[in-house]
Amino acid sequence: LYYTPSNTSTKTPILATHKNLHGLLTILSEELPDQPLYYTLPDLCHTLGCTMPPMDKIRCALTNAGYRVSIYHKEADAIKTDAPNEVLWDV
């Protein structure tokens, strides 16, 4: 099955669109709704003058410190967390 978006003449598989939508909805359901701000790791590392560690290591460090953390649906290298700024900068 395919559909043709109104602004193009190319056909897009519905299955691919379904998978993309399912992935986005999954990320949104796991995102921390009570945390309005997000942190972009490249910006944090640029400020500190260091290379960016893998996202998984940052998430694990914050989780092991007892804080909640999730990825942000609009930015691939961003996180949302309830950790205080001091803890985030120390990680």
Side-chain angles (χ1 to χ4, degrees), residues 4-39:
T4 304
S6 61
N7 60 349
T8 66
S9 62
T10 60
K11 293 184 177 183
T12 303
I14 289 177
L15 184 59
T17 303
H18 175 49
K19 286 181 181 181
N20 291 342
L21 184 58
H22 184 267
L24 177 62
L25 292 175
T26 301
I27 289 171
L28 283 171
S29 71
E30 296 172 353
E31 193 172 296
L32 298 175
D34 58 337
Q35 299 302 314
L37 303 178
Y38 65 93
Y39 303 93

Side-chain angles (χ1 to χ4, degrees), residues 66-83:
Y67 298 101
R68 297 177 306 144
V69 63
S70 69
I71 58 176
Y72 182 54
H73 70 279
K74 283 190 170 184
E75 301 264 348
D77 292 327
I79 59 170
K80 293 176 84 173
T81 182
D82 61 351

Side-chain angles (χ1 to χ4, degrees), residues 37-51:
L37 303 178
Y38 65 93
Y39 303 93
T40 57
L41 295 182
D43 291 341
L44 292 173
C45 292
H46 182 288
T47 301
L48 294 172
C50 64
T51 59

